[in-house]
Amino acid sequence: MLAVTGWLFYSHLTSGFRVETNILKLLPKTEVDPFAEEAFTRFSDNNFKQIIVAVSADDKSQVSGAAKQLISQLKQTELIASFTSQLTQKEQEAVGKLYFDHRFHLLTDRDRQLMLEQGSQPFLDATLQLVYSPLSGQLIGLIPTDPYLLSYRYLQNLNAKGGKQQQGQLDDGFILFEQEEQYTALISATLQTSPFDTHTQDTVTTLLHDFEQNNPELTLLKTGAVFYAQHAAASAKQEISTIGLGSLIAVILLLIVAFRSTAPLLLTLTSLASGIFIAFTVVHWFFGSIHVLTLVFGSSLVGVAVDYAFHYFASANKHRHPLRHILIAISMGLVSSVIGYIALFTAPFPGLRQMALFCATGLAGAFLTVVLLFDRIPYRVATPNWLLRCFKSHLRVSRHASNNTFILMLLLAPLTAGYLLLNTEQDNDNIRQLQSIPPELYQQEQQIKELVNAPATNQFFVVKAENKQLLLEKLQQLEPQLQQLVSSAVIDGYQHPAQFVPSAQQQRNDYQLLGKRLLNDNFQQLLELGLLQPAQISKLKQNYQQQTPLGINEWLNSPLGQRFNYLWLGQIEQQQASIITLNNIHDLEALQQAAQAHDYLYFINKVEKISTLFANYRELALLMLLTALGIIFILLTVKYRPIIAAYVLLGPVIAAAFAVIVNISINGSFNLFSTLALFLVFGIGIDYGLFYAEAKTRSSYINLAIGLSAITTLLSFGLLSLSATPAIHAFGLTMLTGILTVFLLSPILGHLIYSTKGLPHE
Amino acid sequence: MKIHTFKFSILLLLAALVALISPQISSATDEGCELNAIATKLQSQPELSRFEQEKSIKVLSKPLYSSGYLLLSQDSGLVWQTLEPIKSTTVITDTEFKQYNKSDQLISLPDNGNQPASQLISSTFLAILSGSFTELDKNFTVATRCDDSQWTISLTPTNSTIDNVMHHITVTGSQRIQRIAFTEANDDVTQLSFTPDTTEHMITQLREYLVD
C-alpha cells in the first residue's frame, strides 16, 4: 500500500503539485440554475484579473515618472495582459468614427422623443446655438456631414452614462489627476494569469513592495483579487508552519519526557508522517489539487493522529507487545472518527469533502502504521514516575466528581447550548470567514473606490435570450425599470451593452424616423450662413441611404467595446447572455424583486448566496453529527452495555455543548466552521471513552495516553485559535474548549465505566 | 466635408471634456503692470453689458456675427444671453453650467453640466469676465502690457490639454474690460467687445436665470 501511495505521490510530484488558493474553489455551486452559475464564473474570472494601483505625491512630474517606471516594471514581468485606462486620443478617434459611421441609426431616448414631438427644428436650433456660443467653434466642421449633430449628441449621452468621469489627464497607460495639491496616477491592468497562481501573486506583490521601498516619498495604494489571495495564501502558509511545527515540537518533547527512549519518538513521527503523506496524496489524487485551507485544517491532524501512538506506548509500559491490548480500542476509535468524516464527505461541498477526506485518510494512515509497524520494532519505554504520579492524582481527584449529581449537573450544558443555538443571530456564516482580510488592504480598496467608480463585483443582473438581437431588445425593455431603480435610489447607476449598441430593431426605427426629416429638410438657415453648401446636402442624403446599422460585434471590437467586454458574456448553454452591472447598491431586496418579475432576468448576489449556503450546511452538518452519534451509539451497544456506550458518548456531547457556549459568548455566533470542529471533538472524545471501555483493569497508563494526547491536541488547536482567518479561529476555539472539556471529563466518566464494569480500584 | 475634420472635432470635443487646467505660475510684466495692479485699475465690472461677437471661421468665407447681453452678479455668477440671430442663454456659476434654448427650455446640449472638466473651463470664463484675474496665473502663462489709458493681458495655456482647445486669449480694458479675443485650436478667432448698459428690464430679466 505504501508502494502504491509512493507511486501516486511520485507521479503527482513529477506533474507538479497544485496548491489551490481560490476560495471559490472550496464552495459548492450556489446557483440552482447552471446558467447563472456559469455567468458568475465568467464575470468573476474577469474581475479577479483586475489590479489597480494608485501612486500619489505632491509633485506632478515625480508621480508621472514613477507611474511610467512602475508600468515598465510590470510589463517586464510578462504577467500583465493589458493596461486598461481611459481611451487614448487615437482610441477616442476610433470610437468617434464608429458612432459617426452609424449616426443615422442612433438616437438617444431623449432625442427620439424630441424628434417625434417637434421634428428636426430643435436639433437645428441647437446646432445654431453651438455655432454662436463663444466656445464651441470646433463642432462647425461637423455640420456638413451631420447637421443635426447626431453623433455628437449620442457620444455626449454615452459620456454622461459612463457615470462619474475622472477628470484625469491621460498618459501612456495611466491617468493622472489632481486633488487638493496632491497628484495621483492611476494604473489599472489585467493579469495574464489567474490571480490564484502563486508565481503571479509573489511576483506582483514583491514588485510593488520593492517599488514602495525604493520610493518612500510616494504613497502607493493597490487593490485587486491577487493581493487578497496573496495575503490569504501567505497567512495560511504561515499558519500551517506555525501550527504544524508547534504541535510537532510538542509531540517530540512529550515523547521524550514521557517515554525516555528514541524509538517511540521515531515511530510516532513515522506514523504521523505516513498519515499526512497518505492524506496529501489521496486528496491530491482525488481532487486534482489541494486547497491551502485543507492544509491548514489538515496540519492540525497531527494532534489527533498521535492518539494511537500515545495509547500504544502508554500501554507498552505494562505489556511487551501492547498492540493486541489496544487494537480494539484504537480500531473503534478510528471507525467512529471515520463515520463522522464519511458523513461530512457526503455533503456536496468541495471544501468540506476535501477536509473530510484528508482527515479520514490521514487517520487511517497513522492507524495502519501503528498496527503494522510498531510491534515489529524492538524498544523499551520507561515513563518516569513523577509523570505517572501526576496523572494518578488527576485520576484520584476525578473520582470525587464521578457521582450522579455531577453528571446530572453536566447535562445542563447541552440544554444551555441548545437554547443558545436556537436564540443566537446566525449572521456569521459569511464567505469573509474563509479569508483573513488585512485592514490596510481593505482600506486601500475603499480609497481607490473613491477615485474610480467601479461597479459591484458580487452583485449584478444577468439577462439571457435566444440570440444577440433578442438580448439587446430585452436589455432595452428593461431600461425603464432600471431608470426607476436609479430614481428610487436603489442603485446609483448601471451599465449594459444596449446602452452602447441599440438593438437592430431600435436602430431600424430610428433610421426611418430620422430619414423622414433628413431627406425632406432644406437646411435653409445653415445654407444662408454658409455653414452648409447645396452640394453637401445631396451628399448627406446619399450618405444616409448607404448607411448600415451598428452591430454588436463591430462595437465589441472597438476600443470602447474592449473596455466593456465583460458586459457581454456571449453564448452560454445555447443562450446569449449579458451583464448589467450595478453601482452603489442601497437596497438588495428591491433588486431581488426586480429580477423576479422577468424569467430572463437573474439577480446574482454571491455574498448573500454563500452566507445562506453556509448556514444551510451548518444545519446539515449538525444534523449529520447527530445522525453519526446515533449510528456510533448503536455500534457501541453491539459490543458494550448501553450504559457504557452512553458514558463513552457523554464526554464528547458535554464537550460539544461547552464549545458551543464558549463560542457564542466570545464570537457571538456559532458558525459552520465551529460545527466542523465538533466532528473532531467527537472523534477524539470517543477515542478517550473507548480507551476506558476497553480497559481490562484500572490502569493509570490509559490516563497517561489520554493526557499526552490531549496536551498535543490542545497545543495544536490552541495555535489554530490564534489564526487571522476567522473560520480557522472559530475552528480552533471550538477544538480548544471541546478537547479541554473531554480531557477533564474522561477520567470522571472513566471511573463510572470502571464501576459499571465492576473493575476493582488499583 | 472630409472625415478627418470630424475626427478632429470630436477629438477636441472629448479633449475639452477631460481638460484639466494645471497650476503653473509665471508672468512677464512691466513695472506697475502686474495682474494685481491691473485688477486694481479695473475698479468694477458693470452689472450689465451689451456684447458684440465676431467669429472668424476658417472654413467660412464671411464671419458670423451675434450679439446679446452679459449680466455679471458679484456672488452668483454670470448670464450670457445671445439674442441675435438666435436666442440662447448660458448660465455659469461656481457650481453649475446651464443652457437654455430659444424657448427658454433647459437643454442638454452640451450636456456636461456635471462634468468637472468643462466646469473648469467655464469657471475660467467666469474668472475672466468678472475680472478675478488673480486666479488666472494658476492656469496660464500671463503677459501684460500697459499704456496710459489701456492694459492688455495675454494668456497662453500651460496645459497641453487646454491648449488642444484654445491657443490664446487676449483681454483688453481700462476701468472695465473692453475686448476679449481668443484663438481656438483650429485657428478660428472669436472677438468680443463689451459696452456697459443699464436697460432696467434686461437686468431684471437676466437676474431671473440666476434665481432658479
Side-chain angles (χ1 to χ4, degrees):
Chain A
M1 203 195 71
L2 262 179
V4 172
T5 321
W7 173 79
L8 258 177
F9 184 82
Y10 180 75
S11 67
H12 285 302
L13 189 68
T14 46
S15 58
F17 286 113
R18 276 173 40 79
V19 177
E20 185 62 66
T21 52
N22 183 352
I23 276 177
L24 293 180
K25 289 278 158 70
L26 279 180
L27 303 177
K29 296 193 179 338
T30 50
E31 304 300 331
V32 189
D33 192 329
F35 177 85
E37 188 67 38
E38 175 67 19
F40 178 80
T41 310
R42 286 200 198 174
F43 185 64
S44 65
D45 279 355
N46 180 296
N47 264 324
F48 281 165
K49 288 187 178 174
Q50 301 297 320
I51 59 170
I52 301 179
V53 183
V55 182
S56 351
D58 47 18
D59 184 82
K60 187 177 168 185
S61 57
Q62 190 181 26
V63 168
S64 79
K68 276 176 193 151
Q69 196 193 342
L70 186 56
I71 286 174
S72 90
Q73 285 182 13
L74 282 168
K75 269 183 189 157
Q76 276 168 20
T77 63
E78 292 180 355
L79 291 172
I80 308 290
S82 64
F83 287 93
T84 35
S85 60
Q86 284 187 323
L87 300 171
T88 63
Q89 299 216 331
K90 249 206 172 84
E91 289 172 326
Q92 285 184 19
E93 200 177 307
V95 171
K97 181 169 170 4
L98 178 74
Y99 282 97
F100 178 79
D101 286 347
H102 301 284
R103 62 195 178 285
F104 301 124
H105 288 87
L106 302 168
L107 281 177
T108 66
D109 292 346
R110 199 171 163 152
D111 285 352
R112 183 178 310 117
Q113 198 65 27
L114 203 60
M115 185 69 83
L116 278 168
E117 285 167 7
Q118 301 174 46
S120 60
Q121 197 53 49
F123 291 80
L124 290 168
D125 286 348
T127 303
L128 282 175
Q129 280 193 342
L130 263 176
V131 167
Y132 286 109
S133 92
L135 254 177
S136 304
Q138 280 111 22
L139 284 164
I140 285 168
L142 191 58
I143 291 172
T145 44
D146 191 2
Y148 299 154
L149 299 179
L150 295 167
S151 52
Y152 168 74
R153 297 172 81 108
Y154 199 81
L155 279 171
Q156 280 281 72
N157 192 49
L158 280 189
N159 260 348
K161 276 185 181 154
K164 187 168 77 183
Q165 292 287 316
Q166 281 97 52
Q167 43 148 326
Q169 196 185 335
L170 205 63
D171 212 313
D172 193 18
F174 64 95
I175 312 163
L176 187 71
F177 44 105
E178 186 200 353
Q179 249 183 352
E180 294 158 11
E181 308 280 299
Q182 178 90 1
Y183 289 88
T184 302
L186 204 69
I187 303 166
S188 39
T190 309
L191 292 171
Q192 192 102 51
T193 49
S194 158
F196 302 104
D197 172 70
T198 320
H199 173 66
T200 309
Q201 286 173 2
D202 293 346
T203 313
V204 175
T205 319
T206 314
L207 193 155
L208 287 177
H209 179 78
D210 292 349
F211 187 81
E212 212 172 355
Q213 294 290 307
N214 296 334
N215 299 280
E217 67 287 356
L218 298 172
T219 316
L220 196 119
L221 300 175
K222 57 182 186 289
T223 192
V226 68
F227 303 114
Y228 285 105
Q230 192 274 338
H231 176 87
S235 69
K237 272 175 199 153
Q238 199 208 339
E239 280 164 10
I240 294 168
S241 44
T242 322
I243 294 158
L245 203 69
S247 40
L248 200 64
I249 290 171
V251 170
I252 292 171
L253 282 177
L254 279 175
L255 282 163
I256 292 173
V257 170
F259 301 117
R260 292 199 289 199
S261 162
T262 46
L265 175 63
L266 292 176
L267 284 172
T268 307
L269 292 182
T270 310
S271 147
L272 283 180
S274 36
I276 288 169
F277 177 65
I278 289 171
F280 187 93
T281 312
V282 170
V283 168
H284 198 280
W285 166 74
F286 192 84
F287 291 97
S289 69
I290 190 160
H291 199 282
V292 71
L293 279 182
T294 306
L295 288 177
V296 176
F297 278 87
S299 68
S300 58
L301 186 69
V302 172
V304 190
V306 83
D307 278 8
Y308 307 131
F310 278 146
H311 197 48
Y312 179 92
F313 289 114
S315 180
N317 272 304
K318 232 161 79 179
H319 306 283
R320 178 111 184 83
H321 289 290
L323 183 64
R324 60 198 171 86
H325 300 282
I326 61 151
L327 185 60
I328 293 175
I330 64 171
S331 309
M332 298 279 293
L334 178 71
V335 169
S336 58
S337 293
V338 170
I339 287 174
Y341 292 124
I342 286 173
L344 208 54
F345 190 76
T346 54
F349 192 145
L352 296 193
R353 300 184 68 198
Q354 256 196 35
M355 289 167 200
L357 186 63
F358 192 95
C359 291
T361 48
L363 281 184
F367 171 83
L368 286 175
T369 319
V370 172
V371 171
L372 300 176
L373 185 69
F374 280 23
D375 260 8
R376 294 171 202 273
I377 309 289
Y379 59 88
R380 270 182 53 91
V381 298
T383 304
N385 276 326
W386 60 266
L387 194 65
L388 276 178
R389 272 200 302 279
C390 280
F391 287 107
K392 268 183 191 159
S393 46
H394 175 212
L395 203 58
R396 238 189 334 271
V397 173
S398 310
R399 195 187 300 162
H400 299 296
S402 61
N403 54 59
N404 288 333
T405 330
F406 183 69
I407 299 296
L408 283 176
M409 267 165 60
L410 282 181
L411 286 177
L412 282 175
L415 291 177
T416 319
Y419 174 80
L420 282 175
L421 271 182
L422 293 174
N423 290 288
T424 308
E425 282 282 316
Q426 302 288 352
D427 56 353
N428 228 355
D429 294 305
N430 191 306
I431 186 174
R432 307 219 185 279
Q433 289 279 318
L434 277 175
Q435 204 162 33
S436 66
I437 295 186
E440 78 270 13
L441 211 50
Y442 181 73
Q443 199 194 334
Q444 290 185 13
E445 180 180 336
Q446 296 308 312
Q447 280 174 278
I448 288 177
K449 269 189 182 162
E450 280 173 26
L451 297 173
V452 273
N453 192 16
T457 50
N458 285 312
Q459 288 108 358
F460 50 86
F461 285 125
V462 176
V463 183
K464 69 171 181 180
E466 280 147 38
N467 60 51
K468 293 177 181 177
Q469 282 314 320
L470 280 175
L471 182 58
L472 290 171
E473 280 170 33
K474 281 182 174 158
L475 285 168
Q476 265 163 10
Q477 284 162 23
L478 288 169
E479 193 56 31
Q481 204 175 350
L482 290 167
Q483 281 167 11
Q484 169 66 31
L485 288 173
V486 173
S487 59
S488 56
V490 172
I491 48 172
D492 284 358
Y494 58 91
Q495 258 170 349
H496 61 74
Q499 290 173 316
F500 299 96
V501 186
S503 70
Q505 192 195 356
Q506 179 79 69
Q507 292 194 47
R508 216 164 28 242
N509 292 345
D510 288 345
Y511 182 72
Q512 279 159 11
L513 176 65
L514 264 166
K516 273 185 218 151
R517 300 295 172 180
L518 187 90
L519 297 176
N520 301 318
D521 209 323
N522 56 17
F523 300 104
Q524 196 55 45
Q525 284 162 296
L526 299 181
L527 278 172
E528 280 168 12
L529 287 167
L531 289 165
L532 198 57
Q533 307 300 322
Q536 289 172 326
I537 297 182
S538 51
K539 185 90 200 298
L540 175 73
K541 292 182 177 172
Q542 196 185 330
N543 267 343
Y544 169 84
Q545 302 287 8
Q546 290 165 353
Q547 204 183 71
T548 55
L550 172 63
I552 182 78
N553 290 339
E554 200 181 348
W555 179 77
L556 283 171
N557 288 328
S558 78
L560 200 61
Q562 283 165 10
R563 291 292 191 288
F564 289 101
N565 61 7
Y566 58 86
L567 293 175
W568 190 260
L569 295 175
Q571 187 167 331
I572 300 175
E573 303 197 325
Q574 323 298 329
Q575 300 267 325
Q576 292 290 330
S578 137
I579 296 262
I580 304 175
T581 57
L582 306 167
N583 294 357
N584 301 334
I585 298 165
H586 305 295
D587 182 359
L588 286 166
E589 195 59 37
L591 295 171
Q592 199 85 53
Q593 280 168 9
Q596 276 160 7
H598 309 276
D599 59 350
Y600 56 86
L601 183 67
Y602 297 81
F603 178 59
I604 311 263
N605 182 358
K606 202 65 178 179
V607 175
E608 164 79 19
K609 275 270 166 60
I610 289 169
S611 303
T612 319
L613 193 85
F614 278 12
N616 290 343
Y617 277 110
R618 173 172 42 74
E619 281 160 21
L620 187 68
L622 273 173
L623 216 73
M624 285 190 294
L625 193 62
L626 289 176
T627 316
L629 198 65
I631 295 173
I632 293 166
F633 182 75
I634 292 166
L635 280 180
L636 288 179
T637 51
V638 172
K639 191 160 169 16
Y640 308 106
R641 286 153 56 191
I643 182 76
I644 293 183
Y647 283 141
V648 169
L649 292 181
L650 190 60
V653 168
I654 305 285
F658 274 114
V660 170
I661 294 169
V662 167
N663 253 283
I664 291 180
S665 39
I666 290 183
N667 294 333
S669 70
F670 194 77
N671 63 27
L672 173 64
F673 307 98
S674 306
T675 312
L676 298 183
L678 289 187
F679 276 81
L680 279 171
V681 171
F682 266 81
I684 297 168
I686 291 171
D687 278 359
Y688 294 173
L690 286 172
F691 293 169
Y692 285 104
E694 272 301 302
K696 300 284 182 294
T697 54
R698 294 189 181 230
S699 156
S700 50
Y701 292 112
I702 291 175
N703 228 33
L704 172 68
I706 290 173
L708 295 178
S709 150
I711 290 166
T712 40
T713 315
L714 284 176
L715 268 172
S716 52
F717 291 109
L719 292 169
L720 265 190
S721 69
L722 296 177
S723 169
T725 310
I728 298 178
H729 160 76
F731 187 89
L733 187 65
T734 311
M735 286 301 286
L736 195 65
T737 41
I739 296 302
L740 191 63
T741 318
V742 158
F743 170 63
L744 293 176
L745 281 181
S746 65
I748 300 172
L749 294 167
H751 280 298
L752 290 169
I753 293 173
Y754 286 157
S755 329
T756 317
K757 285 169 52 163
L759 297 182
H761 291 293
E762 257 185 351
Chain B
M1 186 62 52
K2 280 178 212 147
I3 190 70
H4 73 263
T5 318
F6 162 74
K7 286 185 205 166
F8 190 49
S9 311
I10 284 295
L11 200 73
L12 291 171
L13 160 75
L14 292 172
L17 295 178
V18 296
L20 182 78
I21 300 165
S22 78
Q24 287 267 316
I25 301 170
S26 81
S27 70
T29 52
D30 305 335
E31 188 82 9
C33 193
E34 298 91 358
L35 271 188
N36 285 338
I38 292 173
T40 323
K41 284 180 195 164
L42 182 76
Q43 286 153 352
S44 74
Q45 278 283 84
E47 185 178 16
L48 185 71
S49 307
R50 211 185 128 67
F51 71 82
E52 306 276 341
Q53 175 182 294
E54 181 186 330
K55 253 187 153 166
S56 307
I57 294 166
K58 287 199 93 180
V59 294
L60 298 184
S61 48
K62 47 187 180 181
L64 296 171
Y65 294 102
S66 57
S67 62
Y69 286 94
L70 162 72
L71 179 88
L72 280 169
S73 156
Q74 210 65 42
D75 44 304
S76 29
L78 68 82
V79 180
W80 182 275
Q81 186 168 70
T82 307
L83 288 172
E84 291 298 328
I86 180 168
K87 183 181 167 189
S88 92
T89 314
T90 304
V91 180
I92 301 175
T93 66
D94 286 340
T95 52
E96 275 184 315
F97 180 90
K98 290 191 285 192
Q99 281 206 314
Y100 297 86
N101 67 9
K102 62 177 181 184
S103 329
D104 277 329
Q105 289 166 313
L106 191 63
I107 54 166
S108 60
L109 196 67
D111 183 14
N112 46 18
N114 49 10
Q115 307 228 7
S118 64
Q119 185 62 41
L120 254 161
I121 291 183
S122 47
S123 69
T124 304
F125 206 57
L126 181 64
I128 294 176
L129 289 169
S130 59
S132 312
F133 294 154
T134 40
E135 307 200 352
L136 291 176
D137 58 7
K138 267 186 168 180
N139 309 319
F140 296 90
T141 309
V142 181
T144 54
R145 194 161 32 91
C146 300
D147 58 36
D148 297 340
S149 57
Q150 278 201 324
W151 47 260
T152 302
I153 303 171
S154 283
L155 300 169
T156 313
T158 42
N159 180 292
S160 62
T161 317
I162 197 166
D163 191 48
N164 280 338
V165 182
M166 215 182 317
H167 281 339
H168 197 73
I169 304 176
T170 316
V171 188
T172 311
S174 53
Q175 285 173 347
R176 55 176 183 82
I177 295 174
Q178 290 158 337
R179 282 190 305 281
I180 298 178
F182 47 87
T183 312
E184 290 179 53
N186 52 0
D187 286 339
D188 290 348
V189 178
T190 304
Q191 295 191 62
L192 291 159
S193 62
F194 299 93
T195 335
D197 198 298
T198 49
T199 316
E200 204 54 51
H201 77 269
M202 272 318 295
I203 296 179
T204 328
Q205 223 179 342
L206 293 184
R207 269 182 188 160
E208 275 171 24
Y209 287 97
L210 288 166
V211 175
D212 42 58

